[in-house]
RNA sequence: GGAGAGGUGGCUGAGUGGCCUAAAGCGCAGGUUUGCUAAACCUGUGAUGGAGUAAUCCAUCCGAGGGUUCGAAUCCCUCCCUCUCCGCCA
């Protein structure tokens, strides 16, 4: 959520930054300002009346104490009228405020000044590359062919269970998925200093609103109910990412300054309706309704937000370095960024069978956009409460990492070599038919 | 699912219509004392919104929302949540 004071004091700056996203949100600023102005005016009036009422009520109390009943009764009549006016004005404020807040909660974050202007992914500048595309003496297969020949994934039977967009890992495929989860968690918790947590996979709507997935993108997530109790719809949702529960862990808390930075890593499955995406990459496991991911979350002081973002990208790309995969890092332009983010780096891994790069990680600094929505603050030593920056990054998404590994390490005989970093977890150096 | 208890500041916890400007304790910060550490003592210590250049002032907040009243933490109604025991269950 944007700071209403910032909008009030710097409306043109806010409009210009919103406009850079290209979604037309800047047109709502005028209405927010009007509602804000109206609210403050009404509030000033009603508060003055309340002060008056409090004063008279006190006097009545004193008179009653002295048994001056007649005088007290006279004052009661005088005050009754004030009460009616207060009720009316309170009602006005109660109507204005939700209107203002409904707009505020639907406005996306402002892109940071270091984010390049642009409209689509085409405009995202390349930040750096690592390694090189592997050479093959044969035509590399796709992960779908490899999964079928090595019996790592049973696509047909997964469809039988849950419809399209779901994956049934089998035998070495299941083991590889589990080995990757273990490898990622141990890397981030043991080497990178993140505290491992294991959150609920089902959360209430306030958590989705806290990180910015609600109310604007409500149709993209799975709601769950107990049995067929339709009246419970809207109370619980399957998490679309571990960010949803983990970033909300300290919601509505005032953290001591010395507890920052807080760093969490978590493995969870992620559930996404991917509404409107049917037909896009539905074959295979590039885009599915359920996938595994290890997520990184940081809660830091605002002055450290951008240093910590750079470090988080380093932590995520370490995964690809250890696995010996070729990747590139791009900086998302203003038009391509997510709703809550102020600055985002994407890490894309090379998948030879696809002949393209796959996004396996997205690292964002959301600044105080989410902490405002959650009302999460920290107390500085002077006593002032501030909103921390909240960062999230994939470290990394599993399904696409799985794809890149198979396609990169496939051999002419159809087997797949396991890179040394992963061997202790999978307990083999090669998967073959 | 059944029965019961309860939700008050960072925490524990008192408060049953006006002296609540929410007691007390713990914690925290500063100070005094002090070979060091510790202790003791003193002082201070909630949040949000609004007005003001500022010092400061005002309003609201005792789970949430309504109601009664000149006045509500306190009385009434609705809802939410937590805990304990029982039942079922991995």
């Amino acid at each position: 959520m944007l700071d209403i004071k910032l909008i009030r004091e710097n409306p043109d700056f806010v409009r210009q930054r919103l406009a850079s996203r290209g979604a037309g949100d800047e047109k709502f600023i005028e209405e927010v300002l009007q509602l804000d102005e109206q609210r403050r005016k009404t509030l000033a009036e009603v508060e003055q009346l309340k002060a008056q009422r409090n004063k008279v009520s006190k006097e009545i109390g004193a008179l009653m104490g002295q048994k001056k009943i007649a005088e007290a009764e006279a004052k009661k009549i005088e005050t009754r009228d004030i009460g009616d006016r207060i009720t009316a004005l309170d009602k006005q404020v109660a109507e204005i405020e939700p209107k203002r807040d409904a707009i505020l909660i639907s406005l996306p974050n402002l892109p940071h000044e270091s984010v390049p202007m642009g409209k689509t992914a085409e405009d995202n500048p390349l930040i750096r590359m690592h390694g090189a595309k592997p050479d093959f003496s044969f035509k590399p297969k796709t992960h779908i062919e490899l999964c079928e020949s090595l019996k790592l994934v049973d696509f047909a039977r997964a469809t039988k269970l849950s419809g399209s967009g779901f994956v049934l890992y089998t035998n070495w495929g299941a083991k590889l998925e589990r080995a990757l989860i273990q490898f990622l968690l141990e890397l981030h918790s043991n080497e990178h200093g993140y505290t491992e947590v294991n959150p609920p996979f089902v959360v209430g709507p306030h958590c989705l609103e806290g990180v910015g997935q609600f109310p604007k993108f409500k149709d993209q997530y799975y709601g769950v109910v107990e049995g067929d109790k339709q009246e419970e719809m809207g109370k619980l949702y399957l998490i679309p990412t571990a960010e949803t529960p983990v970033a909300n862990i300290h919601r509505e808390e005032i953290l001591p300054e010395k507890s920052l930075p807080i760093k969490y890593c978590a493995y969870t499955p992620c559930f996404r309706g991917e509404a409107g995406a049917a037909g896009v990459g539905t074959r295979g496991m590039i885009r599915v309704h359920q996938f595994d991911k290890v997520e990184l979350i940081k809660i830091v002081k605002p002055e450290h937000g951008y240093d910590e973002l750079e470090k988080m990208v380093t932590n995520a790309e370490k995964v690809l370095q250890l696995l010996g995969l070729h990747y590139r890092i791009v900086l998302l332009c203003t038009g391509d960024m997510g709703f809550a983010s102020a600055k985002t780096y994407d890490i894309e891994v090379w998948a030879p069978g696809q002949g393209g790069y796959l996004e396996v990680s997205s690292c964002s600094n959301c600044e105080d956009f989410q902490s405002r929505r959650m009302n999460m603050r920290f107390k500085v030593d002077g006593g002032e409460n501030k909103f921390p920056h909240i960062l999230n990054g994939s470290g990394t998404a599993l399904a696409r990492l799985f794809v890149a590994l198979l396609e990169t390490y496939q051999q002419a005989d159809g087997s797949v070599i396991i890179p040394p970093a992963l061997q202790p977890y999978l307990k083999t150096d090669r998967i073959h038919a």
Side-chain angles (χ1 to χ4, degrees), chain A residues 73-309:
Chain A
E73 289 299 329
K75 274 192 188 287
K76 279 191 194 180
I77 292 162
E78 171 194 329
T79 318
R80 202 164 288 152
D81 172 56
I82 297 180
D84 292 343
R85 285 160 69 195
I86 288 171
T87 307
L89 289 170
D90 267 346
K91 206 178 148 205
Q92 275 184 40
V93 174
E95 280 167 9
I96 296 165
E97 217 167 54
K99 279 189 203 166
R100 181 196 66 170
D101 293 345
I103 300 175
L104 282 178
I105 203 96
S106 301
L107 291 174
N109 202 359
L110 306 181
H112 187 253
E113 58 184 7
S114 63
V115 173
M117 293 291 294
K119 285 179 182 161
T120 66
E122 309 274 294
D123 304 318
N124 297 339
L126 177 69
I127 301 300
R128 59 180 177 268
M129 297 188 97
H130 184 272
K133 294 175 189 171
D135 286 326
F136 290 91
S137 57
F138 56 96
K139 183 174 183 293
K141 296 176 184 165
T142 67
H143 70 281
I144 298 174
E145 295 167 294
L146 290 164
C147 283
E148 280 167 355
S149 61
L150 296 172
K151 296 189 169 21
L152 303 180
V153 173
D154 191 332
F155 291 106
R157 290 197 172 94
T159 305
K160 191 168 71 175
L161 298 176
S162 310
S164 72
F166 290 90
V167 176
L168 168 62
Y169 293 96
T170 54
N171 199 14
W172 281 104
K175 287 179 188 290
L176 177 56
E177 185 78 356
R178 175 161 58 85
L180 282 169
I181 292 167
Q182 182 88 340
F183 162 67
L184 294 173
L185 282 175
E186 296 214 349
L187 172 67
H188 295 307
S189 62
N190 297 342
E191 309 297 322
H192 295 156
Y194 293 79
T195 303
E196 185 173 340
V197 294
N198 189 336
F201 300 164
V202 179
V203 295
H206 56 291
C207 291
L208 288 130
E209 185 175 298
V211 295
Q213 285 140 356
F214 275 12
K216 252 198 134 169
F217 308 101
K218 220 168 181 169
D219 56 347
Q220 298 184 13
Y221 308 108
Y222 290 106
V224 296
V225 295
E226 191 183 341
D228 60 355
K229 297 178 183 164
Q230 284 309 304
E231 69 276 12
E232 283 189 4
M233 186 52 85
K235 289 189 176 175
L236 288 172
Y237 294 85
L238 293 178
I239 57 169
T241 157
E243 176 196 351
T244 314
V246 176
N248 276 288
I249 287 174
H250 299 287
R251 74 186 340 266
E252 287 154 55
E253 288 182 29
I254 300 175
L255 300 160
E257 183 173 22
K258 60 176 180 290
S259 71
L260 303 182
I262 291 171
K263 298 163 70 176
Y264 289 124
C265 64
Y267 153 74
T268 71
C270 303
F271 303 91
R272 300 192 182 175
E274 304 284 359
V280 183
T282 41
R283 181 110 170 94
M285 44 202 289
I286 308 294
R287 184 186 287 271
V288 285
H289 292 306
Q290 179 188 328
F291 62 95
D292 294 314
K293 179 157 64 65
V294 169
E295 183 78 359
L296 308 174
I297 297 287
K298 288 188 189 183
I299 302 167
V300 306
K301 293 193 226 173
E303 59 268 33
H304 300 146
Y306 285 95
D307 285 346
E308 293 290 348
L309 177 61

Side-chain angles (χ1 to χ4, degrees), chain A residues 13-31:
Chain A
F13 168 76
V14 174
R15 267 190 279 254
Q16 179 263 324
R17 290 275 83 196
L18 284 177
S20 75
R21 280 177 170 269
D25 290 303
E26 63 279 8
K27 66 172 178 281
F28 295 109
I29 294 302
E30 191 55 41
E31 195 180 344

